[in-house]
């Protein structure tokens, strides 16, 4: 049994297409988010690994809890309209 937010299953004939769409939508969100976080932390006078830690600490939850669920909803909605 799949959860409501799952967009693919073992029996989904469009599984590859859905995963590619999800990957594309996530990338379209990750790239600008990481770029913005890098820009915002650029003036910090800390070592690179600390800037990376700060950037990822902000970016990963944002992508996990905001972007991925919304991307899955968009794909599911587009698939049901087709």
């Amino acid at each position: 049994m799949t959860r409501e937010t799952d967009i693919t299953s073992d029996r989904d004939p469009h599984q590859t297409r859905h995963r590619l769409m999800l990957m594309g939508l996530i990338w379209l969100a990750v790239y600008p988010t990481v770029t913005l976080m890098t820009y915002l932390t650029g003036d910090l006078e800390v070592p690179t690994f600390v800037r990376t830690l700060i950037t990822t600490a902000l970016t990963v939850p944002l992508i996990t809890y905001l972007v991925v669920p919304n991307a899955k909803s968009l794909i599911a909605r587009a698939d049901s309209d087709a």
Side-chain angles (χ1 to χ4, degrees):
M1 178 167 217
T2 61
R3 292 186 347 228
E4 185 178 317
T5 58
D6 288 344
I7 62 168
T8 62
S9 70
D10 293 337
R11 293 169 285 184
D12 188 350
H14 305 292
Q15 183 175 9
T16 301
R17 181 177 65 123
H18 288 168
R19 286 189 179 177
L20 288 173
M21 289 171 58
L22 183 61
M23 181 184 68
L25 286 171
I26 291 171
W27 184 83
L28 285 172
V30 168
Y31 179 75
T33 304
V34 169
T35 302
L36 177 65
M37 293 299 176
T38 302
Y39 174 77
L40 292 175
T41 60
D43 292 336
L44 294 177
E45 305 265 338
V46 295
T48 302
F49 73 90
V50 174
R51 271 187 41 212
T52 304
L53 177 67
I54 294 168
T55 299
T56 57
L58 296 171
T59 303
V60 170
L62 180 69
I63 298 302
T64 302
Y65 294 109
L66 184 67
V67 174
V68 172
N70 287 320
K72 286 183 175 184
S73 294
L74 284 172
I75 292 170
R77 190 174 324 141
D79 203 35
S80 67
D81 289 342

